[in-house]
Amino acid sequence: MLEVDGSIKEGGGQILRVATSLSCIFQKPIQITKIRAGRSKPGLRPQHLTGLELVANLCHGQLQNAHIGSTDVNFTPGHLKQGTFVADTGTAGSVCLLIQVALPCLLFADGPCKLLLKGGTNAEFAPPIDYFDMVFQPMVAKMGIHYSCDIKRRFVIIGYFPKGGGEVQIMTTPIKELQPITLLDRGEVINITGHAFVAGVLPIRVANIMADIATRVLKTQYKNIPVNIKAYQEPRNKAFGNGSGIVLVAETSTGCCIGNSSLGKRELRAEDVGQKAAEQLLDDLKHGGCVDEHLQDQLIILMALAAGKSSVRTGPITLHTETAIHVTQLLLGNQVKFQVHKDGDTNVIECEGVGFTAT
């Protein structure tokens, strides 16, 4: 059984997600130790436990010592099967992080799968569900990954921190193998879109303020390209709790989608939320990378699984990306090789993938 140190690098849920996904796909039993050892509340939190249990259900695997607060967990995977699976964090824990751990596995199931995920769709310290629709989905489609997650349909309920209560349905179909991805030329920004939203008792003017401020900030750097940020209010029957936020996406001439977002808080003015999202997007665009800081680490496991060499130009390498590379190489050993080299203001991540195919 391979031991994975849960305290290294990022030292949090990223280690659990990458290790568990690869364990499931390659049917390698693992023991994860020192889970979140450096955090104020060490061990598994509800959202981490839900992710582990979800992957175990996907492959009929076995978990040992998996409970809230546990710092050492054993996972013995079984075989991936098609089916319908439900996961509920019971809190505002991010459903998007559940997608991160489950999607790579479902690509290699023996048939179509349906996921019903419950929790927070717009939560702190995780990409919002809108990001998976507007950025993640079109970018991973370049690798042959296709799934459905329409957040505007009746089965999607937008849930906000601290109550959660959101629901997302994901439909997947298996693929034979992942295609490698080459993202080296970002091209020029040709369009910036997005939406500012409010839910519950918050008035629409809050969304309008966020959209107006974000547009103003973006126009300081991109005067001659379209910036279209819509403001809207979630219908009462589509939202659980009160919340607000803004999601922005820049599209480029070479087909890259670069996104950022900001979630409203009681102590933040709407103006500050809009400005923060816009400034973060400008920072991601400044360095010339083809992916934003959020997509960067999510591509690592997919690059490792792909059949052939992938090359991705990024901005500064994040700690999450370093962690994903470390855990992937630990699980796969000499089967996979990553190289990261500096190229001007950018970095290029290269990976010779294993060309995994389901048996």
Side-chain angles (χ1 to χ4, degrees), residues 121-124 126 128-130 158-163 195-211 230-234 239-247 261-274 276-277:
T121 57
N122 298 73
E124 286 192 288
I129 190 63
D130 316 76
I158 308 297
Y160 299 90
F161 186 85
K163 291 185 178 180
H195 55 251
F197 50 88
V198 292
V201 300
L202 296 181
I204 188 63
R205 66 177 178 80
V206 172
N208 286 322
I209 292 171
M210 290 188 291
K230 297 180 179 178
Y232 72 93
Q233 187 159 27
E234 290 286 351
F240 186 89
N242 305 311
S244 66
I246 183 169
V247 181
S261 63
S262 184
L263 194 61
K265 299 180 183 179
R266 289 182 181 178
E267 65 271 20
L268 285 180
R269 301 183 309 154
E271 291 89 344
D272 297 331
V273 178
K276 179 182 176 183

Short mmCIF file of all heavy atoms in Angstrom, two decimals, residues 121-124 126 128-130 158-163 195-211 230-234 239-247 261-274 276-277:
data_model
loop_
_atom_site.label_atom_id
_atom_site.label_comp_id
_atom_site.label_asym_id
_atom_site.label_seq_id
_atom_site.Cartn_x
_atom_site.Cartn_y
_atom_site.Cartn_z
N THR A 121 -22.56 25.67 -4.02
CA THR A 121 -22.15 25.87 -5.41
C THR A 121 -21.31 27.12 -5.57
O THR A 121 -20.60 27.28 -6.55
CB THR A 121 -23.38 25.99 -6.33
OG1 THR A 121 -24.20 27.06 -5.87
CG2 THR A 121 -24.19 24.70 -6.32
N ASN A 122 -21.40 28.03 -4.62
CA ASN A 122 -20.60 29.26 -4.61
C ASN A 122 -20.03 29.39 -3.21
O ASN A 122 -20.69 29.90 -2.31
CB ASN A 122 -21.46 30.47 -4.97
CG ASN A 122 -22.03 30.38 -6.37
OD1 ASN A 122 -22.95 29.59 -6.62
ND2 ASN A 122 -21.49 31.17 -7.28
N ALA A 123 -18.81 28.90 -3.03
CA ALA A 123 -18.21 28.84 -1.70
C ALA A 123 -16.82 29.44 -1.72
O ALA A 123 -16.18 29.53 -2.77
CB ALA A 123 -18.15 27.38 -1.22
N GLU A 124 -16.36 29.84 -0.56
CA GLU A 124 -15.01 30.38 -0.45
C GLU A 124 -13.97 29.28 -0.66
O GLU A 124 -14.22 28.11 -0.42
CB GLU A 124 -14.80 31.00 0.93
CG GLU A 124 -15.52 32.33 1.13
CD GLU A 124 -15.06 33.03 2.39
OE1 GLU A 124 -15.42 32.55 3.48
OE2 GLU A 124 -14.35 34.04 2.27
N ALA A 126 -12.81 27.95 -3.31
CA ALA A 126 -13.09 26.99 -4.38
C ALA A 126 -13.70 27.74 -5.56
O ALA A 126 -14.40 28.75 -5.36
CB ALA A 126 -14.06 25.91 -3.90
N PRO A 128 -16.38 28.80 -8.28
CA PRO A 128 -17.84 28.68 -8.29
C PRO A 128 -18.29 27.75 -9.40
O PRO A 128 -17.54 27.48 -10.35
CB PRO A 128 -18.31 30.12 -8.55
CG PRO A 128 -17.19 30.73 -9.33
CD PRO A 128 -15.93 30.11 -8.79
N ILE A 129 -19.50 27.26 -9.31
CA ILE A 129 -20.01 26.34 -10.32
C ILE A 129 -20.02 27.01 -11.69
O ILE A 129 -19.83 26.36 -12.73
CB ILE A 129 -21.42 25.82 -9.93
CG1 ILE A 129 -21.85 24.68 -10.85
CG2 ILE A 129 -22.43 26.95 -9.91
CD1 ILE A 129 -20.97 23.45 -10.77
N ASP A 130 -20.20 28.33 -11.72
CA ASP A 130 -20.19 29.06 -12.99
C ASP A 130 -18.85 28.89 -13.70
O ASP A 130 -18.78 28.87 -14.93
CB ASP A 130 -20.44 30.55 -12.74
CG ASP A 130 -21.56 30.80 -11.77
OD1 ASP A 130 -21.34 30.61 -10.56
OD2 ASP A 130 -22.66 31.16 -12.20
N ILE A 158 -28.74 27.16 -6.80
CA ILE A 158 -27.55 27.88 -6.41
C ILE A 158 -27.53 28.06 -4.90
O ILE A 158 -28.37 28.73 -4.33
CB ILE A 158 -27.48 29.26 -7.09
CG1 ILE A 158 -27.66 29.11 -8.60
CG2 ILE A 158 -26.19 29.98 -6.77
CD1 ILE A 158 -26.57 28.31 -9.28
N GLY A 159 -26.58 27.43 -4.25
CA GLY A 159 -26.48 27.51 -2.80
C GLY A 159 -25.27 28.31 -2.39
O GLY A 159 -24.20 28.16 -2.95
N TYR A 160 -25.41 29.18 -1.40
CA TYR A 160 -24.35 30.09 -1.02
C TYR A 160 -23.90 29.84 0.42
O TYR A 160 -24.66 29.40 1.27
CB TYR A 160 -24.81 31.55 -1.16
CG TYR A 160 -25.18 31.90 -2.57
CD1 TYR A 160 -26.49 31.73 -3.04
CD2 TYR A 160 -24.23 32.39 -3.45
CE1 TYR A 160 -26.82 32.04 -4.33
CE2 TYR A 160 -24.56 32.72 -4.75
CZ TYR A 160 -25.86 32.54 -5.19
OH TYR A 160 -26.19 32.84 -6.48
N PHE A 161 -22.65 30.18 0.70
CA PHE A 161 -22.10 30.11 2.05
C PHE A 161 -22.88 31.07 2.94
O PHE A 161 -23.20 32.17 2.52
CB PHE A 161 -20.61 30.51 1.99
CG PHE A 161 -19.90 30.34 3.28
CD1 PHE A 161 -19.35 29.12 3.64
CD2 PHE A 161 -19.78 31.40 4.16
CE1 PHE A 161 -18.69 28.97 4.84
CE2 PHE A 161 -19.12 31.26 5.35
CZ PHE A 161 -18.59 30.05 5.70
N PRO A 162 -23.24 30.74 4.20
CA PRO A 162 -22.83 29.55 4.93
C PRO A 162 -23.82 28.40 4.90
O PRO A 162 -23.56 27.37 5.48
CB PRO A 162 -22.70 30.08 6.36
CG PRO A 162 -23.79 31.10 6.45
CD PRO A 162 -23.87 31.74 5.09
N LYS A 163 -24.98 28.55 4.24
CA LYS A 163 -25.99 27.50 4.32
C LYS A 163 -25.77 26.36 3.33
O LYS A 163 -26.14 25.23 3.61
CB LYS A 163 -27.38 28.10 4.09
CG LYS A 163 -27.87 29.00 5.21
CD LYS A 163 -29.28 29.44 4.94
CE LYS A 163 -29.83 30.31 6.08
NZ LYS A 163 -31.22 30.75 5.82
N HIS A 195 -21.11 37.57 -15.42
CA HIS A 195 -22.37 37.96 -14.79
C HIS A 195 -22.16 38.23 -13.32
O HIS A 195 -21.33 37.62 -12.65
CB HIS A 195 -23.47 36.93 -15.03
CG HIS A 195 -23.12 35.54 -14.61
ND1 HIS A 195 -22.89 34.53 -15.51
CD2 HIS A 195 -22.99 34.98 -13.39
CE1 HIS A 195 -22.62 33.42 -14.87
NE2 HIS A 195 -22.68 33.66 -13.57
N ALA A 196 -22.92 39.19 -12.84
CA ALA A 196 -22.98 39.51 -11.42
C ALA A 196 -24.36 39.11 -10.94
O ALA A 196 -25.36 39.38 -11.60
CB ALA A 196 -22.74 41.00 -11.20
N PHE A 197 -24.42 38.44 -9.80
CA PHE A 197 -25.69 37.87 -9.37
C PHE A 197 -25.96 38.12 -7.90
O PHE A 197 -25.03 38.29 -7.10
CB PHE A 197 -25.72 36.37 -9.65
CG PHE A 197 -24.52 35.64 -9.12
CD1 PHE A 197 -24.47 35.16 -7.83
CD2 PHE A 197 -23.41 35.45 -9.94
CE1 PHE A 197 -23.36 34.50 -7.35
CE2 PHE A 197 -22.29 34.79 -9.47
CZ PHE A 197 -22.26 34.32 -8.16
N VAL A 198 -27.22 38.14 -7.57
CA VAL A 198 -27.66 38.19 -6.18
C VAL A 198 -28.72 37.13 -5.99
O VAL A 198 -29.39 36.71 -6.95
CB VAL A 198 -28.23 39.58 -5.80
CG1 VAL A 198 -27.12 40.62 -5.79
CG2 VAL A 198 -29.36 39.99 -6.73
N ALA A 199 -28.88 36.69 -4.76
CA ALA A 199 -29.89 35.69 -4.44
C ALA A 199 -30.52 36.02 -3.09
O ALA A 199 -29.94 36.74 -2.28
CB ALA A 199 -29.27 34.30 -4.41
N GLY A 200 -31.72 35.49 -2.88
CA GLY A 200 -32.41 35.71 -1.61
C GLY A 200 -32.94 37.13 -1.50
O GLY A 200 -33.55 37.66 -2.44
N VAL A 201 -32.69 37.78 -0.37
CA VAL A 201 -33.28 39.10 -0.11
C VAL A 201 -32.44 40.24 -0.67
O VAL A 201 -32.85 41.40 -0.60
CB VAL A 201 -33.46 39.32 1.41
CG1 VAL A 201 -34.37 38.26 2.00
CG2 VAL A 201 -32.10 39.31 2.13
N LEU A 202 -31.27 39.95 -1.23
CA LEU A 202 -30.41 41.02 -1.73
C LEU A 202 -31.02 41.66 -2.98
O LEU A 202 -31.49 40.95 -3.87
CB LEU A 202 -29.01 40.49 -2.05
CG LEU A 202 -28.22 39.95 -0.86
CD1 LEU A 202 -26.84 39.48 -1.31
CD2 LEU A 202 -28.07 41.01 0.21
N PRO A 203 -31.01 42.99 -3.06
CA PRO A 203 -31.61 43.68 -4.21
C PRO A 203 -30.74 43.60 -5.44
O PRO A 203 -29.51 43.49 -5.36
CB PRO A 203 -31.75 45.12 -3.71
CG PRO A 203 -30.65 45.28 -2.72
CD PRO A 203 -30.52 43.94 -2.03
N ILE A 204 -31.34 43.72 -6.61
CA ILE A 204 -30.65 43.64 -7.89
C ILE A 204 -29.62 44.76 -8.03
O ILE A 204 -28.63 44.61 -8.76
CB ILE A 204 -31.66 43.68 -9.06
CG1 ILE A 204 -30.96 43.41 -10.41
CG2 ILE A 204 -32.40 45.00 -9.08
CD1 ILE A 204 -30.34 42.05 -10.53
N ARG A 205 -29.81 45.88 -7.33
CA ARG A 205 -28.85 46.99 -7.46
C ARG A 205 -27.45 46.56 -7.01
O ARG A 205 -26.45 47.11 -7.49
CB ARG A 205 -29.33 48.21 -6.67
CG ARG A 205 -29.37 48.05 -5.17
CD ARG A 205 -29.78 49.35 -4.47
NE ARG A 205 -29.88 49.18 -3.03
CZ ARG A 205 -28.84 49.18 -2.21
NH1 ARG A 205 -27.63 49.40 -2.70
NH2 ARG A 205 -28.99 49.01 -0.91
N VAL A 206 -27.35 45.58 -6.09
CA VAL A 206 -26.05 45.08 -5.68
C VAL A 206 -25.33 44.43 -6.86
O VAL A 206 -24.13 44.66 -7.08
CB VAL A 206 -26.20 44.07 -4.52
CG1 VAL A 206 -24.86 43.39 -4.21
CG2 VAL A 206 -26.75 44.76 -3.28
N ALA A 207 -26.05 43.65 -7.64
CA ALA A 207 -25.47 43.04 -8.83
C ALA A 207 -25.09 44.10 -9.86
O ALA A 207 -24.04 44.00 -10.51
CB ALA A 207 -26.44 42.03 -9.43
N ASN A 208 -25.94 45.10 -10.03
CA ASN A 208 -25.63 46.17 -10.99
C ASN A 208 -24.35 46.91 -10.61
O ASN A 208 -23.54 47.25 -11.48
CB ASN A 208 -26.81 47.16 -11.06
CG ASN A 208 -27.99 46.60 -11.81
OD1 ASN A 208 -27.82 45.89 -12.81
ND2 ASN A 208 -29.20 46.89 -11.35
N ILE A 209 -24.17 47.17 -9.32
CA ILE A 209 -22.96 47.86 -8.86
C ILE A 209 -21.72 47.02 -9.15
O ILE A 209 -20.71 47.52 -9.68
CB ILE A 209 -23.07 48.18 -7.36
CG1 ILE A 209 -24.14 49.23 -7.10
CG2 ILE A 209 -21.71 48.66 -6.82
CD1 ILE A 209 -24.45 49.44 -5.62
N MET A 210 -21.77 45.73 -8.83
CA MET A 210 -20.63 44.86 -9.09
C MET A 210 -20.28 44.84 -10.58
O MET A 210 -19.10 44.93 -10.96
CB MET A 210 -20.92 43.43 -8.61
CG MET A 210 -20.98 43.29 -7.10
SD MET A 210 -21.11 41.56 -6.55
CE MET A 210 -22.78 41.16 -7.11
N ALA A 211 -21.30 44.72 -11.43
CA ALA A 211 -21.08 44.68 -12.87
C ALA A 211 -20.50 45.99 -13.39
O ALA A 211 -19.56 46.00 -14.20
CB ALA A 211 -22.39 44.36 -13.59
N LYS A 230 -23.45 40.90 -17.35
CA LYS A 230 -24.88 40.99 -17.08
C LYS A 230 -25.13 40.90 -15.57
O LYS A 230 -24.45 40.17 -14.85
CB LYS A 230 -25.63 39.88 -17.81
CG LYS A 230 -25.53 39.96 -19.33
CD LYS A 230 -26.29 38.84 -19.99
CE LYS A 230 -26.20 38.93 -21.51
NZ LYS A 230 -26.91 37.81 -22.18
N ALA A 231 -26.14 41.63 -15.13
CA ALA A 231 -26.56 41.57 -13.73
C ALA A 231 -27.92 40.88 -13.66
O ALA A 231 -28.81 41.16 -14.48
CB ALA A 231 -26.65 42.98 -13.14
N TYR A 232 -28.07 39.96 -12.70
CA TYR A 232 -29.36 39.30 -12.58
C TYR A 232 -29.59 38.83 -11.15
O TYR A 232 -28.67 38.74 -10.35
CB TYR A 232 -29.48 38.12 -13.56
CG TYR A 232 -28.65 36.92 -13.20
CD1 TYR A 232 -29.19 35.87 -12.45
CD2 TYR A 232 -27.33 36.81 -13.62
CE1 TYR A 232 -28.44 34.77 -12.12
CE2 TYR A 232 -26.57 35.71 -13.31
CZ TYR A 232 -27.13 34.69 -12.56
OH TYR A 232 -26.38 33.59 -12.24
N GLN A 233 -30.84 38.52 -10.87
CA GLN A 233 -31.23 38.00 -9.57
C GLN A 233 -31.72 36.58 -9.73
O GLN A 233 -32.57 36.29 -10.59
CB GLN A 233 -32.33 38.86 -8.94
CG GLN A 233 -32.66 38.46 -7.51
CD GLN A 233 -33.36 39.57 -6.75
OE1 GLN A 233 -34.02 40.41 -7.34
NE2 GLN A 233 -33.19 39.59 -5.44
N GLU A 234 -31.16 35.66 -8.93
CA GLU A 234 -31.60 34.28 -8.98
C GLU A 234 -33.06 34.18 -8.54
O GLU A 234 -33.46 34.79 -7.54
CB GLU A 234 -30.75 33.41 -8.04
CG GLU A 234 -29.32 33.22 -8.49
CD GLU A 234 -29.20 32.26 -9.65
OE1 GLU A 234 -30.19 31.60 -10.01
OE2 GLU A 234 -28.09 32.18 -10.20
N ALA A 239 -32.63 29.27 -5.61
CA ALA A 239 -31.53 29.62 -4.71
C ALA A 239 -31.89 29.26 -3.27
O ALA A 239 -33.06 29.29 -2.89
CB ALA A 239 -31.21 31.10 -4.82
N PHE A 240 -30.88 28.93 -2.52
CA PHE A 240 -31.06 28.60 -1.11
C PHE A 240 -30.20 29.56 -0.30
O PHE A 240 -28.98 29.52 -0.37
CB PHE A 240 -30.64 27.15 -0.86
CG PHE A 240 -30.91 26.66 0.53
CD1 PHE A 240 -32.12 26.08 0.85
CD2 PHE A 240 -29.95 26.78 1.52
CE1 PHE A 240 -32.37 25.61 2.13
CE2 PHE A 240 -30.18 26.33 2.81
CZ PHE A 240 -31.40 25.74 3.11
N GLY A 241 -30.80 30.45 0.46
CA GLY A 241 -30.04 31.41 1.24
C GLY A 241 -29.80 32.71 0.50
O GLY A 241 -30.29 32.92 -0.61
N ASN A 242 -29.05 33.60 1.13
CA ASN A 242 -28.76 34.90 0.56
C ASN A 242 -27.29 34.95 0.14
O ASN A 242 -26.42 34.48 0.87
CB ASN A 242 -29.01 36.00 1.60
CG ASN A 242 -30.41 35.94 2.16
OD1 ASN A 242 -31.38 35.85 1.41
ND2 ASN A 242 -30.53 35.96 3.49
N GLY A 243 -27.01 35.52 -1.02
CA GLY A 243 -25.64 35.60 -1.47
C GLY A 243 -25.49 36.46 -2.70
O GLY A 243 -26.47 36.89 -3.32
N SER A 244 -24.24 36.74 -3.05
CA SER A 244 -23.94 37.53 -4.24
C SER A 244 -22.55 37.20 -4.71
O SER A 244 -21.73 36.63 -3.97
CB SER A 244 -24.05 39.03 -3.94
OG SER A 244 -23.05 39.42 -3.01
N GLY A 245 -22.27 37.57 -5.94
CA GLY A 245 -20.93 37.33 -6.47
C GLY A 245 -20.85 37.75 -7.92
O GLY A 245 -21.84 38.20 -8.52
N ILE A 246 -19.66 37.60 -8.49
CA ILE A 246 -19.44 37.97 -9.87
C ILE A 246 -18.42 37.01 -10.47
O ILE A 246 -17.47 36.59 -9.81
CB ILE A 246 -18.95 39.44 -9.98
CG1 ILE A 246 -18.78 39.85 -11.44
CG2 ILE A 246 -17.68 39.67 -9.17
CD1 ILE A 246 -18.57 41.35 -11.61
N VAL A 247 -18.66 36.63 -11.72
CA VAL A 247 -17.79 35.73 -12.46
C VAL A 247 -17.43 36.40 -13.78
O VAL A 247 -18.32 36.90 -14.48
CB VAL A 247 -18.47 34.37 -12.74
CG1 VAL A 247 -17.52 33.44 -13.48
CG2 VAL A 247 -18.93 33.73 -11.45
N SER A 261 -13.25 35.21 -10.28
CA SER A 261 -14.53 35.46 -9.63
C SER A 261 -14.31 36.05 -8.25
O SER A 261 -13.19 36.03 -7.72
CB SER A 261 -15.34 34.16 -9.51
OG SER A 261 -14.65 33.24 -8.68
N SER A 262 -15.37 36.55 -7.68
CA SER A 262 -15.32 37.07 -6.32
C SER A 262 -16.68 36.86 -5.68
O SER A 262 -17.73 37.07 -6.33
CB SER A 262 -14.95 38.56 -6.32
OG SER A 262 -14.82 39.04 -5.00
N LEU A 263 -16.69 36.43 -4.44
CA LEU A 263 -17.92 36.13 -3.73
C LEU A 263 -18.23 37.24 -2.73
O LEU A 263 -17.34 37.73 -2.03
CB LEU A 263 -17.76 34.80 -2.98
CG LEU A 263 -19.01 34.11 -2.43
CD1 LEU A 263 -19.96 33.76 -3.56
CD2 LEU A 263 -18.61 32.86 -1.65
N GLY A 264 -19.47 37.67 -2.70
CA GLY A 264 -19.87 38.72 -1.78
C GLY A 264 -19.84 38.26 -0.33
O GLY A 264 -20.07 37.09 -0.02
N LYS A 265 -19.51 39.19 0.55
CA LYS A 265 -19.52 38.93 1.99
C LYS A 265 -20.20 40.09 2.69
O LYS A 265 -20.28 41.20 2.14
CB LYS A 265 -18.10 38.79 2.53
CG LYS A 265 -17.30 37.66 1.94
CD LYS A 265 -15.89 37.64 2.55
CE LYS A 265 -15.03 36.57 1.94
NZ LYS A 265 -13.66 36.57 2.52
N ARG A 266 -20.66 39.84 3.90
CA ARG A 266 -21.36 40.90 4.64
C ARG A 266 -20.47 42.12 4.85
O ARG A 266 -20.94 43.25 4.84
CB ARG A 266 -21.83 40.36 5.99
CG ARG A 266 -22.97 39.38 5.89
CD ARG A 266 -23.42 38.92 7.27
NE ARG A 266 -24.52 37.96 7.18
CZ ARG A 266 -25.06 37.38 8.24
NH1 ARG A 266 -24.61 37.66 9.45
NH2 ARG A 266 -26.06 36.52 8.09
N GLU A 267 -19.17 41.88 5.07
CA GLU A 267 -18.28 43.00 5.39
C GLU A 267 -17.73 43.70 4.14
O GLU A 267 -16.99 44.67 4.25
CB GLU A 267 -17.11 42.51 6.26
CG GLU A 267 -16.17 41.53 5.59
CD GLU A 267 -16.57 40.08 5.73
OE1 GLU A 267 -17.77 39.83 6.02
OE2 GLU A 267 -15.70 39.20 5.56
N LEU A 268 -18.06 43.20 2.95
CA LEU A 268 -17.55 43.79 1.72
C LEU A 268 -18.63 44.59 1.00
O LEU A 268 -19.77 44.13 0.85
CB LEU A 268 -17.04 42.70 0.77
CG LEU A 268 -15.71 42.03 1.11
CD1 LEU A 268 -15.38 40.99 0.04
CD2 LEU A 268 -14.59 43.05 1.20
N ARG A 269 -18.26 45.77 0.52
CA ARG A 269 -19.17 46.53 -0.32
C ARG A 269 -19.24 45.89 -1.70
O ARG A 269 -18.30 45.24 -2.16
CB ARG A 269 -18.68 47.97 -0.47
CG ARG A 269 -18.54 48.76 0.82
CD ARG A 269 -18.10 50.18 0.51
NE ARG A 269 -16.93 50.19 -0.36
CZ ARG A 269 -16.63 51.18 -1.18
NH1 ARG A 269 -17.40 52.26 -1.25
NH2 ARG A 269 -15.54 51.13 -1.93
N ALA A 270 -20.36 46.08 -2.38
CA ALA A 270 -20.51 45.54 -3.73
C ALA A 270 -19.43 46.08 -4.65
O ALA A 270 -18.92 45.37 -5.53
CB ALA A 270 -21.90 45.89 -4.27
N GLU A 271 -19.05 47.34 -4.45
CA GLU A 271 -17.99 47.94 -5.26
C GLU A 271 -16.69 47.17 -5.12
O GLU A 271 -15.96 46.94 -6.11
CB GLU A 271 -17.76 49.40 -4.85
CG GLU A 271 -18.90 50.35 -5.20
CD GLU A 271 -19.95 50.44 -4.10
OE1 GLU A 271 -19.96 49.55 -3.21
OE2 GLU A 271 -20.76 51.37 -4.14
N ASP A 272 -16.38 46.75 -3.89
CA ASP A 272 -15.13 46.03 -3.64
C ASP A 272 -15.14 44.64 -4.27
O ASP A 272 -14.11 44.16 -4.73
CB ASP A 272 -14.89 45.92 -2.13
CG ASP A 272 -14.71 47.28 -1.47
OD1 ASP A 272 -14.23 48.21 -2.16
OD2 ASP A 272 -15.07 47.42 -0.28
N VAL A 273 -16.30 44.00 -4.26
CA VAL A 273 -16.41 42.66 -4.85
C VAL A 273 -16.17 42.72 -6.36
O VAL A 273 -15.41 41.93 -6.93
CB VAL A 273 -17.80 42.05 -4.55
CG1 VAL A 273 -17.93 40.67 -5.21
CG2 VAL A 273 -18.02 41.93 -3.05
N GLY A 274 -16.81 43.68 -7.03
CA GLY A 274 -16.62 43.84 -8.46
C GLY A 274 -15.19 44.20 -8.82
O GLY A 274 -14.61 43.68 -9.79
N LYS A 276 -12.43 43.61 -7.04
CA LYS A 276 -11.54 42.49 -6.75
C LYS A 276 -11.52 41.48 -7.90
O LYS A 276 -10.44 41.05 -8.35
CB LYS A 276 -11.96 41.80 -5.46
CG LYS A 276 -11.10 40.60 -5.08
CD LYS A 276 -11.63 39.93 -3.81
CE LYS A 276 -10.83 38.68 -3.48
NZ LYS A 276 -11.37 37.98 -2.28
N ALA A 277 -12.68 41.11 -8.40
CA ALA A 277 -12.76 40.13 -9.49
C ALA A 277 -12.07 40.66 -10.74
O ALA A 277 -11.33 39.93 -11.42
CB ALA A 277 -14.21 39.78 -9.78
#
